[in-house]
Amino acid sequence: MAGTVGTLVHWAFRRVVGAAEQQEGVAGGQSPNKTTFRIGSRKSKLAMIQTEGVMATLQALNPTYTFELHTMETIGDKVLDVALSKIGTKNLFTRELEVLLVSGDVDLVVHSLKDLPTTLPPGLALGAICEREDPRDAVIFRADLSGSYSNLASLPAGSVVGTSSLRRTAQLLALYPELVFESVRGNLNTRLKKLDSSTNDGAELMRYSALVLAAAGIHRMGWKDRIGEYLDPQYCPYAVSQGSVGIECREGDRATFALLRGIGHKESTYRCIAERACMRVLEGGCSVPIGVFSKLSADRTIHLRGAVHSLDGKVYAKADCTARCTSEAEAEAAGLTLARHLNTAGAKEILDKIPRTLGPTAKPT
């Protein structure tokens, strides 16, 4: 518990700078004199840590304002016995919250940005992107194995590794074909419990040797000491916007845009805009095997890398892009360029085959 609280306090009060350029010059909407704001969030522990961090920062910046928290479960929280890729929609963790936003029941919603589709419903906008956590993937080994293995390469052939991501499975199959990758669903607490006490169809046998998860979530939960390996994004590029928290609001809501002006992080915003632009062209979602890497240099150059894998990891398309990036428009343009390079390298052909091959033999996770 102490680790979680410490992580929350550290994350909540990191100063974030800049403002999303889309917030400037917004016309219409609510009065900027509004001082009570309702914030929507999922109920999971990680979602609450992120949302409470945003609330704490907003409260610190606006001590006379009132913030009310409204939580709910989404379809992605409720359907836990089916792989994400099989449920059949991109907004598994956002749709119900967006309904509240459109109806006016909440004024803003805090999301893990990688869960938010790149095309938002009419009337909604991405109001701010907070400072990004470590976007890499990380490996947690089962508690009784953590002293024996330090990386996936050291696991015996046939070891079962759990993940909820098609992207991770495809990338890791290409690197470690001797390992078995299987779906594991649930919030982070549930998945960690499954790892440390899992059984095989009721038999007294530990099933998973390790889990592959987003490092950001592990850090925010206060479990950094459980990480045995960080995956190198050169070989395992991370999910689009992984590690980022995005705040969604209504277009034209002047009061909420003004509220969010102080918490947008410019570098994180540019990187995520570029990554999301690339994914939008490729028509991918968080359950499709698209991986990215981004870096914004001191000279305001953005470096992008993308990779698309077939489900079995045997076929892939990779591409790089470097461009000047001093605005959101330039970040968007860089992402579109990366998408074109990826399609030239064969990404579209790979992705076009996924709906036809996504079945029992593909073992999607």
Side-chain angles (χ1 to χ4, degrees):
M1 180 66 179
T4 300
V5 173
T7 300
L8 168 59
V9 172
H10 169 72
W11 179 76
F13 288 97
R14 281 186 308 189
R15 286 295 298 174
V16 288
V17 299
E21 295 153 13
Q22 62 198 31
Q23 297 174 2
E24 301 296 338
V26 178
Q30 300 177 11
S31 166
N33 295 321
K34 179 182 174 72
T35 59
T36 298
F37 293 86
R38 296 156 297 176
I39 301 177
S41 172
R42 291 167 57 200
K43 288 184 176 180
S44 75
K45 187 172 182 179
L46 176 59
M48 290 300 297
I49 287 173
Q50 294 176 165
T51 302
E52 289 170 358
V54 168
M55 286 183 65
T57 302
L58 290 173
Q59 191 71 75
L61 294 172
N62 306 276
T64 63
Y65 286 12
T66 299
F67 298 96
E68 301 173 355
L69 180 60
H70 297 254
T71 62
M72 68 181 306
E73 290 185 325
T74 65
I75 186 172
D77 297 307
K78 296 175 182 177
V79 181
L80 299 176
D81 58 347
V82 180
L84 293 175
S85 55
K86 284 189 170 183
I87 299 177
T89 181
K90 294 179 182 179
N91 55 352
L92 296 174
F93 297 104
T94 63
R95 181 170 54 192
E96 290 84 353
L97 289 164
E98 288 175 329
V99 170
L100 292 180
L101 192 55
V102 170
S103 67
D105 291 317
V106 298
D107 300 300
L108 59 142
V109 176
V110 179
H111 299 289
S112 289
L113 188 54
K114 73 173 183 177
D115 294 334
L116 192 64
T118 55
T119 300
L120 301 182
L124 299 185
L126 186 55
I129 297 174
C130 301
E131 184 175 5
R132 193 175 200 171
E133 247 284 7
D134 189 335
R136 293 176 296 175
D137 292 313
V139 181
I140 292 182
F141 293 95
R142 200 172 67 220
D144 64 311
L145 299 178
S146 59
S148 302
Y149 303 104
S150 59
N151 51 49
L152 290 177
S154 64
L155 286 174
S159 297
V160 179
V161 178
T163 177
S164 61
S165 164
L166 272 177
R167 172 191 56 82
R168 293 180 189 126
T169 299
Q171 292 172 351
L172 293 172
L173 277 172
L175 295 171
Y176 308 108
E178 73 280 6
L179 299 180
V180 178
F181 297 92
E182 292 190 358
S183 176
V184 56
R185 289 288 316 283
N187 59 42
L188 287 182
N189 304 69
T190 301
R191 280 182 268 178
L192 197 61
K193 185 176 180 181
K194 288 180 180 179
L195 171 67
D196 289 335
S197 62
S198 58
T199 59
N200 185 9
D201 297 328
E204 295 301 320
L205 175 67
M206 293 294 190
R207 180 160 191 79
Y208 302 105
S209 295
L211 297 180
V212 183
L213 305 162
I218 302 172
H219 290 181
R220 288 171 179 153
M221 293 287 284
W223 299 338
K224 193 172 182 177
D225 61 335
R226 286 295 307 266
I227 294 176
E229 176 187 14
Y230 289 93
L231 299 183
D232 187 342
Q234 179 178 351
Y235 306 104
C236 296
Y238 38 79
V240 166
S241 301
Q242 184 160 293
S244 298
V245 170
I247 305 175
E248 191 177 18
C249 57
R250 290 181 292 275
E251 287 182 345
D253 185 344
R254 290 189 299 167
T256 301
F257 272 113
L259 174 75
L260 298 177
R261 188 173 294 123
I263 68 170
H265 187 260
K266 186 170 288 188
E267 176 182 340
S268 301
T269 298
Y270 289 173
R271 290 173 61 194
C272 290
I273 284 177
E275 294 171 14
R276 286 169 61 83
C278 176
M279 187 167 72
R280 187 168 60 250
V281 172
L282 297 177
E283 297 183 345
C286 65
S287 62
V288 174
I290 299 172
V292 295
F293 167 84
S294 64
K295 180 180 179 181
L296 191 65
S297 299
D299 65 355
R300 316 315 294 174
T301 298
I302 192 167
H303 307 271
L304 300 172
R305 183 185 310 128
V308 175
H309 286 73
S310 61
L311 295 180
D312 59 10
K314 294 180 179 179
V315 181
Y316 58 85
K318 297 183 179 181
D320 294 87
C321 170
T322 299
R324 179 73 172 165
C325 185
T326 60
S327 67
E328 293 184 7
E330 289 181 339
E332 176 96 4
L336 297 177
T337 298
L338 178 63
R340 288 195 296 270
H341 291 342
L342 282 167
N343 278 334
T344 299
K348 187 177 187 304
E349 288 79 4
I350 295 171
L351 292 173
D352 282 347
K353 293 178 181 178
I354 288 179
R356 295 193 296 272
T357 60
L358 194 57
T361 59
K363 288 191 176 181
T365 57

